[in-house]
């Protein structure tokens, strides 16, 4: 029972097919004889982390309940070189042609996120920091994109606004200060939720820890500043978790990891990953 | 009556909000007093083409039917410099905070596509070629992304598989050749549809034109090859439309335009545009 | 993969069943023992073209996933005489009784359209004209009705307002003339769409062809007038398609075909076809 | 609070618009300037009973929440002569054009049913018989069609299989006879439901009345046979209601009414009414 | 074909699962290894009437299409003693854990209603009165709750406002009296519906019977008053059905039955039945 | 922006109305003249905590967008005596009659939960313990029922399986022990979630605290056992939260509170609260 078997994901995929197919694939219907069978091969046209095999399966199974599923030559999450045929799929030729674009659109995007995530995960290898994603996902695709992040070896931050308390500058201002915001949140949210607070400087950090924040997000600090804040925070409460955030990229991320934070959130994992180049070549059989 | 007023778009946006909010924005609900009003400012943190103002409006209006709408200081499609505050929105502070992320996720993505589209459109300025998008869009967001392409000054190719006949290599192989594929399509599709055929070389191009193709897509040609094929095609039928396709980027696109094609399709407009950096700063009022 | 396997069609049929069954078939539930099996026979009570076998199948399969499907003694589209039993279906007696009305309502209506379409197709046999339907379909049933038209041997015009450009008198008036309307449409719609224009007289026809119309609809002309317009149009552009339209019936349609038009659109195929008389007699087995 | 304000009806109409408009009215969008206002006039091109004014209103209000609604010159249900302009509607020209076909498709069909119903109602005027409809309605449109029947002056039979007990030949056979079927139904259905039984002859009629049927449907009798059965039935139970059914038309219906039945069910009211000819002429204002 | 196979019921259950599972069962997913199989046993922790076996089956089948279904050791509707294991279910351990709460929530509530209904049915045993439920059901669960009522041995009153005419004090006041209300209802509702009227005293009862009420509901009478009204009513019309209503409980219900009414409606069957205590113990296998 | 304005809640209420109204309120439609206005008064027929005013408002606003809303004479959450008229509502008489049952069904149930919750809250007044609810809610109504719990003065536990980690006996067994279960959960769930573990005895409690549990649920202990476990747990980790659970009732709950636990979860708040007796009397105005 994984999230892909979830009814919502399947109904989303059916909607994606409807978006692309509309009233029918008039090219295929008017040129391809019914009943002809074919086989398609998934080819990586650049180095990439394979992601979305089950999702692509679902695309074709919605079109043809008898679809046998992709015969995968690698595992979800494997890094493959350019030129690798990583899977094949048999089926009615018209089904393969009609489903191709949606399957590829999903897989190319998910593989793009997984590939980028892997690079970030590798960049901090050997440190104690974990890379986490953000809520800067494509509207409608959050579950798929957060899954791709984990396939690439990173972790997930909140899945939504109901999935954790993260008090930011605006909340602090409106609540009347960090202490008030934290105590109000502690009073009102369920006992299973921790409290995270975003801070900009040492004064805020100290107030947050004193007020009982479980996690503190150091926003837009240099690695050097972050290192100092980490040291001072740990001095106050060795159990507090520390997260660095703000404009991370592959060049800078390791220096934050080495500053001693526990978590580094990276928006570009999902908002700006490039689609990987994957093709699906069909032959009749 | 534009597409944004379409019920489907609004219900999609409501779904995006549900995806992010889930059972409720527990941070805002537990820290921000009810009834406090605020104003948020949309700030471009890099040079970008503004796109998605009405979509962002819709986000907030779904949360609060009395939302006054964004007070925009520029027009949809305007290019603004980094540092420009291009709009503001008043409302209940909790509404602004809860809707912020979805509004930005949409606007940053749409502005990313519009900005990249504008660059492509400028790259072919002065030629007869038009840049068109592809079906390589984010599943679920096709209407919004194709709209962003036009805001950036490019044109739309097919909206879906029912929206035009585009006979590709697989169709040709399965139909038993270009001539058979074209005549079968002409027989079966409605009289309002033109027929486009993808070809790889001169022999195929000639066969396509002889069989009555209205448009021919020159796939994966060099600019020089494309120029030759264009010349020979025009010699056979001056009315045939010619489209170049395959791995276009900002460096190469103009040489294809100068090769004389009518259309150049660019997948990366939608599958790999980077999100623009836009922030939404809220103040109480 | 035909349109009946489309998820939307199945969900529409499920809705039709819900409309008829509501909270339950209280007559059958209170009089027919559970588990009794029966067999129903589809009987044509007048001469008709059989249409809707797969649709009727779907009705019963929604009620009972194990339904074996109709055992059809004829093919979809066959003309059968009054008194012909053209298919039978086994199943639980309660399923047969509960699904009967919806299955017949669909099949009688579809067979009515197919039967009438066949008469129109026969009426123009031997000419170059094809009969096409219109958008004057029953709201909600367009896909089924347009399918029935093809089963009867006619062709489909546009499936919807997004499926082709057809510029009518109102568009012309609002655009500021035929030439302006055509050039505006050419500028704005995708390159895969042809342009059809509705005209009332020779002056309009000439302007439309000069402005580059691909198809011209001759509205409300006598056959004689149509013949003249066809001749003059062909003189200007031998490739232009010509369509006759307006109040066609079985008595007049052939004279339009003989006037030389390519297409004749007939609204009554879908808006006024009479339901065929079909009964479904059930016996226990 | 009438049925047209029901959320389901509005959502059905929105679906009809989606069926017709798809991704957009490309003709209107590419030829008609935005913001131009117009006025359309509803013209009866034959004598008809006007039906569907509120439904047509709803069509345009879904497209434009500010639509003022039809300015009707007659009442719903009025008989108007050919040539009558019976209503007008102002609005944005593009809205009027885009909504026209769905509004007319609904109104022409509903007016067709209302007009035919009125003829049947007039045919039995002065007798004690009421004309009732059947479940032979267009799938998806039952509420609208049954409403149109009442606008034409007839009555509604069951709205669905849950809305009344009507024991037919198949139920009788499967239950093991009329007496068993009636007693089983009386035992199992709620105390607010009457029991109607379909019979073919005097023996069945007698058994039905003895078993406590509240209503008896005389199926496929001649008027003379019906008159005899009515007399004998009334002799047994003066309160039993009697319904005639089977192949009624405008020529024969009065003779059944004069045979003394209380109800006459007429399937063709809904399954074979012809669409009325109504046009919608738009002018700019 | 029973109501549980109805698509609406299944989609409701899927919604209940979505309500509980949200984005995923994070406890099970993070602690239970995938692929481990288990068996759960349903244990009655107090004496109860078992109700909801098929519904619980459906819960697990939605999570795992291969779920074998509950192996039930008793029949739906059986009374079991405290301590009885009445069924078991094999499956993936994670599926059993994730579905447990929704299955129990439904079954405990349905068994609660069935158990209470059985007590009421037993309380009037030997009299001519039947216990019926009301429309005081849990919003969204009416079909399941009314089913549970019958499993406990009672009968169903109306399923909704469209399922029968029940004229209450407010209707009478607004219609201008009992006689007017009844005659208006007789005129307007379909011929298959009986008319029930709620009355408070003998004057109203007499008027209702004279006006042709089929059923009369005696509201808020003592058993003695009810007995008198029954006698007088039967004197006027021996066929009229009489229903007692208002604040019934297990102590008082038999005295109403003995007063001679045909029906006694009991709101607490559905609005205040206590959930039965049922546990589901899982073991690995 | 509270949860009642949430689109899902409104669409649920619309579904509840559809469940009750079906094809129409035939009694009201056939007896009550259109356009008559009335006023209804909400009367508490027993002492109760008022809950659901906004929900009842929503019911009537769905039926009539112009409904003015309830004029409430008390605040949500107020305790009112038997006989109190706590609100009134004006509107069309037919709207008031048709919406009455759904509004009352919701309000009676919510007030029942709020009233019972208040009793539990009062029972532990003066101690440090808070009463929390469980996931034993009515399927489909969780949001409304958990809201009613807070109106009565108690707190909410998890809203669903995704809303917190609660490791129970089955998870422990399948994970291979408490320590493994906790460390696996810490590894896999997001950093914003605390970990709660259910234990049965001191050995388990000690293991849970040593493994880093944030909250420990003491299941099915006597108050005396609970007091001992609390003391020992606090000795190990003064910050651990302790929750008592299992068969709580109004007689026993205070002794658990006095045992020193932080939280006491009470299933009966939602699974077995009795509906409060509320009537809605309508008068014409």
């Amino acid at each position: 029972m994984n999230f892909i078997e979830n009814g919502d994901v399947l109904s989303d995929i059916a909607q994606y097919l409807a978006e692309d197919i509309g009233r029918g694939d008039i090219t295929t219907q008017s040129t391809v004889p019914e009943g002809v069978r074919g086989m398609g091969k998934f080819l990586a046209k650049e180095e990439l982390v394979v992601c979305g095999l089950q999702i692509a399966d679902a695309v074709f199974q919605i079109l043809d309940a008898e679809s046998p599923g992709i015969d995968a030559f690698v595992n979800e999450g494997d890094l493959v070189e350019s030129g690798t045929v990583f899977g094949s799929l048999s089926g009615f030729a018209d089904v393969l042609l009609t489903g191709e674009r949606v399957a590829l659109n999903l897989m190319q995007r998910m593989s793009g996120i997984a590939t980028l995530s892997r690079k970030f995960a590798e960049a901090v290898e050997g440190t104690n920091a974990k890379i986490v994603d953000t809520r800067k996902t494509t509207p409608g695709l959050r579950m798929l994109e957060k899954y791709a992040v984990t396939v690439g070896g990173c972790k997930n931050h909140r899945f939504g606004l109901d999935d954790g308390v993260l008090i930011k500058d605006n909340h602090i201002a409106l609540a009347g200060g960090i202490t008030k915001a934290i105590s109000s949140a502690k009073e009102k949210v369920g006992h299973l939720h921790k409290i995270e607070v975003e801070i900009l400087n040492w004064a805020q950090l100290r107030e947050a820890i004193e007020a009982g924040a479980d996690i503190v997000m150091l926003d837009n600090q240099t690695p050097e500043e972050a290192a100092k804040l980490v040291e001072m925070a740990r001095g106050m409460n060795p159990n507090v978790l520390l997260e660095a955030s703000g404009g991370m990229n592959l060049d800078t991320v390791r220096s934050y990891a080495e500053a001693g934070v526990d978590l580094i959130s990276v928006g570009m994992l999902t908002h700006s990953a490039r689609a990987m180049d994957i093709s699906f070549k069909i032959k009749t059989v």
Side-chain angles (χ1 to χ4, degrees), chain A:
Chain A
M1 216 179 56
N2 68 36
F3 86 99
I4 298 171
E5 294 159 17
N6 184 294
D8 285 347
V9 174
L10 289 177
S11 108
D12 283 350
I13 296 175
Q15 234 176 301
Y16 303 151
L17 281 165
E19 179 188 58
D20 193 36
I21 299 177
R23 301 189 186 89
D25 177 354
I26 59 177
T27 307
T28 299
Q29 285 165 6
S30 69
T31 60
V32 176
E34 268 197 70
V36 176
R37 294 191 69 85
M39 194 180 72
K41 293 188 176 180
F42 291 95
L43 169 67
K45 300 177 80 171
E46 59 182 311
E47 190 190 63
L48 56 84
V49 173
V50 173
C51 184
L53 288 165
Q54 278 185 277
I55 292 291
D57 263 6
V59 168
F60 292 103
Q61 266 152 10
I62 287 170
L63 291 176
D64 174 11
E66 309 298 317
S67 169
I70 294 172
D71 186 11
F73 311 143
V74 302
N75 291 315
E76 183 87 346
D78 280 1
L79 182 75
V80 300
E81 288 179 32
S82 178
T84 307
V85 171
F86 60 83
S88 70
L89 177 67
S90 304
F92 289 109
D94 58 354
V95 168
L96 299 179
L97 281 162
T98 300
E100 170 186 355
R101 187 74 265 139
V102 172
L104 287 181
N105 280 353
L106 287 164
M107 204 182 237
Q108 291 180 257
R109 193 164 298 263
M110 291 170 76
S111 297
I113 291 171
T115 303
L116 184 59
S117 296
R118 185 181 174 113
K119 287 181 188 157
F120 271 93
E122 287 172 355
V124 300
E125 224 161 36
T127 72
N128 288 322
K130 293 174 187 166
I131 305 295
V132 295
D133 56 24
T134 66
R135 285 168 41 246
K136 295 177 180 175
T137 55
T138 311
L141 296 178
R142 184 165 289 170
M143 291 303 280
L144 296 187
E145 294 189 347
K146 291 212 162 224
Y147 161 76
V149 164
T150 66
V151 166
C154 298
K155 297 273 173 186
N156 297 137
H157 209 294
R158 291 190 293 178
F159 277 81
L161 290 167
D162 58 341
D163 192 40
V165 175
L166 175 40
I167 300 171
K168 299 196 173 183
D169 51 356
N170 284 314
H171 301 107
I172 292 168
L174 289 157
I178 288 177
T179 305
K180 278 194 189 160
I182 292 178
S183 73
S184 176
K186 289 205 166 193
E187 164 71 18
K188 292 181 189 160
V189 303
H191 63 275
L192 284 164
H193 287 290
K194 292 186 180 170
I195 308 286
E196 179 163 0
V197 183
E198 182 187 276
I199 61 91
L200 291 168
N201 52 46
W202 167 236
Q204 289 191 319
L205 173 54
R206 189 172 48 192
E207 183 177 354
I209 294 178
E210 282 170 358
D214 299 293
I215 306 121
V216 181
M217 177 188 282
L218 315 176
D219 196 34
N220 281 319
Q221 307 296 315
T222 64
E224 296 70 34
E225 292 164 345
K228 271 189 227 155
L229 292 173
V230 168
E231 193 186 349
M232 296 194 287
R234 298 250 190 269
M236 288 183 69
N237 174 358
N239 294 322
V240 74
L241 287 179
L242 295 160
E243 175 176 345
S245 155
M248 296 292 156
N249 60 46
L250 280 168
D251 295 331
T252 61
V253 70
R254 189 168 184 92
S255 56
Y256 286 94
E258 291 174 344
V261 297
D262 304 283
L263 303 154
I264 303 173
S265 49
V266 182
M268 72 178 296
L269 294 187
T270 52
H271 73 56
S272 292
R274 190 172 55 76
M276 293 294 99
D277 197 355
I278 301 174
S279 77
F280 185 63
K281 286 289 160 196
I282 301 169
K283 291 210 175 134
T284 54
V285 285

